[in-house]
Amino acid sequence: MTRGDSPETVLTPAAASERGEFALLRRLQARLGAPGAAPGIGFGDDMAALAPAAPGWLWTVDMVMDGVDFDSRVHDWATIGRKAMAVNLSDCAAMGVAPVSALCAVALHNGLTLADAETLILAADACGREFNCPVVGGDTNSWDAPTAISITVAGQVPPGGAPVPRSGARPRDSIWVSGPLGGSLLGRHLTFTPRVALGLELARTLRPHAMIDISDGLAVDLARILTASGGLGAVLSAAALDQVVHADAFEMAARDGRSPRAHALHDGEDFELLMVLPANTDPAAAQALGLHALGEVVADAGLWLTEAGGARTEIPPLGWEHFK
Amino acid sequence: MTRGDSPETVLTPAAASERGEFALLRRLQARLGAPGAAPGIGFGDDMAALAPAAPGWLWTVDMVMDGVDFDSRVHDWATIGRKAMAVNLSDCAAMGVAPVSALCAVALHNGLTLADAETLILAADACGREFNCPVVGGDTNSWDAPTAISITVAGQVPPGGAPVPRSGARPRDSIWVSGPLGGSLLGRHLTFTPRVALGLELARTLRPHAMIDISDGLAVDLARILTASGGLGAVLSAAALDQVVHADAFEMAARDGRSPRAHALHDGEDFELLMVLPANTDPAAAQALGLHALGEVVADAGLWLTEAGGARTEIPPLGWEHFK
């Protein structure tokens, strides 16, 4: 089953689980990390600092797997290779980092032909090159199991800039998103354009306090920012949220009976940028970059939705989580 | 089945296959590679140049898979995590590069516990730290399929040094190996010590024309050097080869009826360094570093074994190859 085919598997009570990916990451964060690495940059952020001896260089790795992140029975290998690269470029976007080069490691199912393998890897390279990030090396393997693709991307902070972590949100900061959300499973999760240029522009101009790309859902990824920022909370405006519900979310809602708003909040793989801007940011400057306001950071931990009438409901921290 | 459990699967006619990993790599090498990358460093070498903007930095990725590179029914997760890191450190050794930091991406089988996952990743980190190469980030995923682990390592060429490629061999150069070969499947493929210190020392002092770590077998990995160096050949001395047959190769031979010599030539995962030294190298200097002479590079493509009496037999280019 592909990630998100069933709402039951998509919506796991991530924050409540002690057996999930989040728990593993918490344990690893406590034990790992290079001395000298930039604070807040490492296991659990979108990219890690490469090394103290390589200032300004960050890197990231993402593994995508058949039956989870793509479905080789339905998707062609060029589309799959493109996605394997694009998810990494999206991580660069989320840090305000320019992607520079990539490594591609594959464990290919034995049923693939040589042409399939070549198509996959060249598509990853072609996608990378659109963003000045060619594949410069890798590792090719085959096995009886489903195909797994692991791409590593290294990138550079622009001169005078700084990587944008997840951990810098403060109470009263405003929350923004770069595009409409929900229903990406209808196809956008494979064909999205990583917001590399926007991420760089944002880091240079509006200097977000925190940024992330929405891979596991607005609610979960916003919660990641709030947790990384010391246990803050957020209040989202329902009216504002309704402005960023993607047409695909309505189509999904018509199919499965969940609300379009729920799809916008909890579907993953939108790969839009979600960011927290300083409280004194001119909204017009953010809007000029195509950003949509969503709400405000608050001191109390938790995630709430405020209706126009003032009614406030808690948003459950549901979304995609591996390793449940 | 674990890599090497059966001689039939290990010994594939790699060089003859147009459907194998080598064919894929040839096609990729022709199409990929960053403009400005160091000649000979890239897809198909042990490490790739990170980027023209990061001189002296190289990186490598290796994916290890359950049922191929390890067997989780037999091996514990700490041993597996250690190996996943060590194969990358061995690539650094083969380039004469100091490992600096690592990323660890995992697709974990759903049957693993949180403790298993933590054990695996912390073991990879601990192995890396022995060589000043901590895990600084990664990606954790789970799925129904067998576990795959992809570790990326970045390393730095020591000041004044240069990475040692596979492609620099010349006729009359001498061929050396850093330790005994064959039968690694009895356990050394999991517990080997990557020759990082030796690789750095060699690059600094004897300046090999070409170097590789033996991952897929002496015959195949030597053929890689010879092919990368423009289609050269090699003549190995049978007497010299017999001096580097590991005790494990004799034990394997007693079990399966193949000769100890065949195990030394064709078993993979020794992770010793195989190098080509300039023809005028003082043999005593090489021996002082613990190296064992094997033979000589020749202009004619091919791989031969010369017996003491002068009889010459061709060595088949057999070894482990993925993606047959």
Side-chain angles (χ1 to χ4, degrees), chain B residues 93-185:
Chain B
M95 299 294 289
V97 161
V100 173
S101 66
L103 296 178
C104 177
V106 290
L108 302 171
H109 176 59
N110 284 329
L112 268 74
T113 66
L114 183 58
D116 292 336
E118 196 181 18
T119 298
L120 187 168
I121 296 171
L122 291 180
D125 178 60
C127 174
R129 284 178 190 274
E130 288 176 41
F131 298 87
N132 303 311
C133 182
V135 172
V136 299
D139 182 34
T140 55
N141 309 276
S142 63
W143 64 344
D144 291 333
T147 293
I149 308 160
S150 168
I151 292 187
T152 311
V153 164
Q156 213 173 1
V157 179
V164 182
R166 295 181 181 177
S167 57
R170 302 174 201 168
R172 304 199 45 241
D173 283 351
S174 55
I175 300 166
W176 301 78
V177 70
S178 63
L181 306 176
S184 76
L185 196 64

Side-chain angles (χ1 to χ4, degrees), chain A residues 114, chain B residues 13-24 26-27 321 323:
Chain A
L114 183 58
Chain B
S17 163
E18 258 308 312
R19 191 175 133 50
E21 184 184 8
F22 293 176
L24 177 59
R26 269 197 303 280
R27 293 209 205 181
E321 181 184 25
F323 200 62

Side-chain angles (χ1 to χ4, degrees), chain A residues 21-73:
Chain A
E21 184 184 8
F22 293 174
L24 177 60
L25 283 174
R26 270 197 303 278
R27 292 209 205 182
L28 293 173
Q29 281 171 317
R31 305 265 317 254
L32 298 177
I41 311 292
F43 237 103
D45 215 312
D46 292 295
M47 302 186 84
L50 178 62
W57 285 90
L58 288 88
W59 59 348
T60 182
V61 63
D62 267 298
M63 185 148 3
V64 296
M65 295 114 70
D66 198 356
V68 180
D69 303 285
F70 60 87
D71 182 346
S72 65
R73 296 166 309 178

Side-chain angles (χ1 to χ4, degrees), chain A residues 175 212 217-227 234 236 274 276 297 303:
Chain A
I175 301 166
I212 196 169
L218 170 60
V220 164
D221 288 315
L222 179 54
R224 286 184 169 134
I225 285 180
L226 299 168
T227 301
L236 303 187
L274 174 68
V276 165
V297 177
L303 214 56

Side-chain angles (χ1 to χ4, degrees), chain B residues 28-47:
Chain B
L28 292 173
Q29 281 170 318
R31 305 262 319 253
L32 297 177
I41 311 292
F43 238 103
D45 215 312
D46 292 294
M47 303 186 85

Side-chain angles (χ1 to χ4, degrees), chain A residues 149-229:
Chain A
I149 308 161
S150 167
I151 292 187
T152 311
V153 164
Q156 214 174 359
V157 179
V164 182
R166 295 181 180 177
S167 56
R170 300 174 202 169
R172 304 197 47 239
D173 283 352
S174 55
I175 301 166
W176 301 77
V177 70
S178 63
L181 305 176
S184 75
L185 197 65
L186 294 180
R188 278 156 43 234
H189 75 106
L190 289 161
T191 59
F192 69 95
T193 298
R195 305 292 182 216
V196 173
L198 178 62
L200 287 166
E201 175 76 1
L202 275 164
R204 192 177 65 81
T205 57
L206 299 185
R207 297 192 173 269
H209 280 163
M211 191 155 61
I212 196 169
D213 64 320
I214 299 182
S215 56
D216 296 339
L218 170 60
V220 164
D221 288 315
L222 179 54
R224 286 184 169 134
I225 285 180
L226 299 168
T227 301
S229 300

Side-chain angles (χ1 to χ4, degrees), chain B:
Chain B
M1 177 164 21
T2 299
R3 175 172 182 159
D5 267 2
S6 150
E8 287 71 31
T9 54
V10 180
L11 297 179
T12 66
S17 163
E18 258 308 312
R19 191 175 133 50
E21 184 184 8
F22 293 176
L24 177 59
L25 283 174
R26 269 197 303 280
R27 293 209 205 181
L28 292 173
Q29 281 170 318
R31 305 262 319 253
L32 297 177
I41 311 292
F43 238 103
D45 215 312
D46 292 294
M47 303 186 85
L50 178 61
W57 285 91
L58 289 88
W59 58 348
T60 183
V61 62
D62 267 298
M63 188 154 352
V64 296
M65 295 114 71
D66 198 356
V68 179
D69 302 285
F70 60 87
D71 182 346
S72 65
R73 295 166 308 176
V74 179
H75 309 132
D76 62 82
W77 291 108
T79 303
I80 293 164
R82 186 190 180 284
K83 177 175 181 176
M85 173 62 74
V87 296
N88 284 282
L89 300 174
S90 186
D91 284 325
C92 292
M95 299 294 289
V97 161
V100 173
S101 66
L103 296 178
C104 177
V106 290
L108 302 171
H109 176 59
N110 284 329
L112 268 74
T113 66
L114 183 58
D116 292 336
E118 196 181 18
T119 298
L120 187 168
I121 296 171
L122 291 180
D125 178 60
C127 174
R129 284 178 190 274
E130 288 176 41
F131 298 87
N132 303 311
C133 182
V135 172
V136 299
D139 182 34
T140 55
N141 309 276
S142 63
W143 64 344
D144 291 333
T147 293
I149 308 160
S150 168
I151 292 187
T152 311
V153 164
Q156 213 173 1
V157 179
V164 182
R166 295 181 181 177
S167 57
R170 302 174 201 168
R172 304 199 45 241
D173 283 351
S174 55
I175 300 166
W176 301 78
V177 70
S178 63
L181 306 176
S184 76
L185 196 64
L186 294 180
R188 280 155 41 234
H189 76 107
L190 289 161
T191 59
F192 69 95
T193 299
R195 304 293 182 214
V196 173
L198 178 62
L200 287 165
E201 175 76 2
L202 275 164
R204 192 177 65 80
T205 57
L206 299 184
R207 298 191 172 267
H209 280 162
M211 190 153 63
I212 195 170
D213 64 319
I214 299 182
S215 56
D216 296 339
L218 170 59
V220 164
D221 287 315
L222 180 53
R224 287 185 168 134
I225 285 180
L226 299 168
T227 301
S229 300
L232 302 176
V235 178
L236 302 187
S237 150
L241 178 63
D242 289 342
Q243 294 295 312
V244 297
V245 178
H246 197 283
D248 290 342
F250 284 93
E251 188 172 335
M252 288 287 280
R255 292 186 191 185
D256 67 11
R258 295 168 59 218
S259 72
R261 213 186 253 179
H263 280 286
L265 280 169
H266 303 297
D267 288 357
E269 310 227 304
D270 294 298
F271 297 107
E272 295 291 348
L273 296 179
L274 174 68
M275 77 223 67
V276 165
L277 296 177
N280 62 358
T281 303
D282 177 5
Q287 285 154 2
L289 291 176
L291 304 183
H292 309 271
L294 284 179
E296 193 178 285
V297 177
V298 297
D300 293 337
L303 213 56
W304 294 274
L305 195 64
T306 309
E307 303 288 344
R312 199 160 120 155
T313 54
E314 188 151 15
I315 302 171
L318 301 178
W320 178 265
E321 181 184 25
H322 272 292
F323 200 62
K324 303 177 298 292

